[in-house]
């Protein structure tokens, strides 16, 4: 495979895999194999890997923690580029540095780590992130949020690789943030960002984190395998409330089940497949539409084989 050989010149063998099972890389734990997966550590490696796929017209996508995606059981015909670091390290895509009220973070830093690090240095604004299992890059694209806040509100600037290969920094106000959306399309890769936060006593910040954690534990199936909230909240209402009102809690297809705790979570009971989840999603949509007239829109990204 010429493409794999070309990648081998760019990334060491231990960070390059063939036929990598995607269920190991998503929080819902489903998905067949990716033809190739590579795990770049630096911005220049990432740039080279993407160029290598682009010139050969190989389908590619960037994956962070896999917390908001559903891959099909057939997997992905192409290249999955995974950006995720376990410990922040300078010079990598998971660097993390505080300067006054700003925090600079690489695309592969996990949101909980970012939030705890802000709390420890007496900076407020990211408390809502401790329960979001995403990484900075993917979470910015989808403007992740919780408890009435979202990333768009605390971002100062974003560093991106443009489809042309240029690396640019844009202001957050130029990213078109709205509820769980940004204008950053899949051809623009987020490599890092700067957050502007507000100084506060660490004890106050920790207290808000405790409150949010308690709320989530009480209302969401946090310890189950899921892809987070499955549907976007429709204007003026809540997807979870509608799903509940339509009597969908406890609905099950194979190993996929609508959580008994929160209607907007589809959980993997063990052994679920992507097609179980997709059939259940369709069923929930139909029932909610029949009973309430609301057409729910997916928040989770569904990746069909090689075509996004
Ligand atoms: N509700 C029900 N039945 C349910 C679930 C919810 O009646 O099964 C009702 C609740 O009683 C409440 C209302 O719906 O009155 C809202 O529920 P909740 O507070 O759980 O908030 P949500 O709108 O369902 C949003 C975000 C979550 C975030 C929580 C907490 C979306 C789609 N969901 O949920 O984000 O964690 O608020 O801030 O924006 C995510 O985006 O993946 C996600 C999980």
């Amino acid at each position: 495979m010429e493409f794999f050989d070309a990648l081998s010149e760019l990334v060491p063998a231990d960070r390059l895999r063939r036929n990598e099972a995607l269920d190991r890389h998503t929080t819902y734990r489903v998905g067949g194999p990716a033809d190739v997966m590579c795990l770049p550590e630096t911005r220049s490696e990432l740039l080279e890997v993407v160029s290598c796929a682009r010139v050969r017209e190989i389908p590619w996508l960037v994956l962070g923690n896999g917390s908001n995606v559903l891959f099909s059981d057939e997997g992905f015909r192409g290249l999955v580029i995974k950006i995720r670091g376990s410990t922040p390290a300078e010079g990598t895509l998971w660097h993390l540095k505080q300067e006054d009220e700003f925090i600079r973070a690489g695309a592969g830093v996990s949101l909980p780590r970012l939030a705890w690090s802000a709390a420890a240095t007496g900076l407020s604004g990211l408390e809502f992130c401790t329960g979001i299992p995403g990484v900075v890059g993917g979470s910015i694209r989808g403007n992740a949020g919780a408890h009435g806040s979202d990333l768009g509100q605390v971002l100062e600037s974003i560093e991106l690789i443009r489809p042309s290969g240029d690396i640019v920094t844009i202001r957050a106000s130029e990213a078109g943030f709205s509820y769980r959306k940004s204008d950053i399309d899949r051809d623009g890769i987020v490599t890092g960002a700067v957050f502007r936060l507000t100084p506060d006593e660490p004890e106050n910040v920790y207290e808000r984190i405790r409150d949010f954690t308690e709320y989530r534990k009480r209302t969401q199936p946090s310890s189950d395998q899921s892809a987070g909230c499955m549907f976007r909240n429709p204007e003026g209402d809540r997807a979870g409330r509608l799903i509940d009102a339509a009597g969908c809690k406890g609905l099950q297809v194979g190993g996929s089940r609508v959580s008994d705790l929160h209607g907007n979570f589809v959980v993997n009971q063990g052994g679920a497949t992507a097609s179980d989840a997709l059939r259940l999603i369709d069923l929930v949509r139909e029932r909610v539409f029949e009973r309430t007239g609301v057409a729910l829109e997916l928040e989770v990204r569904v990746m069909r084989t090689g075509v996004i």
Side-chain angles (χ1 to χ4, degrees), residues 147 179-180 215 220 229 231 233 238 244 249 262-263 299:
H147 311 288
Y179 167 69
R180 301 292 188 276
Y215 181 81
Q220 298 181 4
C229 282
F231 299 99
N233 278 337
R238 306 299 181 114
D244 194 354
K249 273 183 167 173
H262 193 302
E299 173 177 319

Side-chain angles (χ1 to χ4, degrees), residues 114-274:
L114 174 70
W116 286 110
S117 141
T121 52
L123 289 175
S124 169
L126 289 166
E127 293 89 322
F128 71 94
C129 286
T130 51
I132 302 180
V135 295
V136 165
S139 306
I140 288 178
R141 256 194 68 192
N143 193 16
H147 311 288
S149 304
D150 59 38
L151 290 178
Q153 297 168 13
V154 282
L155 275 163
E156 174 76 5
S157 62
I158 301 153
E159 188 192 79
L160 291 168
I161 300 179
R162 292 265 194 234
S164 57
D166 293 337
I167 295 169
V168 295
T169 299
I170 61 167
R171 288 193 301 274
S173 56
E174 296 171 288
F177 287 118
S178 57
Y179 167 69
R180 301 292 188 276
K181 263 190 185 155
S182 75
D183 288 345
I184 302 167
D185 65 17
R186 79 156 221 104
D187 287 328
I189 305 168
V190 174
T191 53
V194 176
F195 297 85
R196 181 202 273 272
L197 304 168
T198 311
D200 197 355
E201 291 303 317
E203 199 35 58
N204 297 339
V205 183
Y206 288 130
E207 195 179 324
R208 283 190 288 275
I209 291 179
R210 267 195 301 276
D211 288 347
F212 289 159
T213 308
E214 271 171 32
Y215 181 81
R216 270 196 321 276
K217 272 201 172 151
R218 209 172 58 243
T219 60
Q220 298 181 4
S222 326
S223 51
D224 289 339
Q225 293 173 346
S226 82
C229 282
M230 196 49 85
F231 299 99
R232 297 158 57 80
N233 278 337
E235 186 85 45
D237 210 333
R238 306 299 181 114
R241 193 198 69 76
L242 291 166
I243 294 166
D244 194 354
C248 295
K249 273 183 167 173
L251 267 186
Q252 194 158 341
V253 175
S256 269
R257 179 182 175 95
V258 177
S259 164
D260 297 291
L261 191 56
H262 193 302
N264 202 10
F265 284 73
V266 170
V267 298
N268 183 345
Q269 298 272 94
T273 60

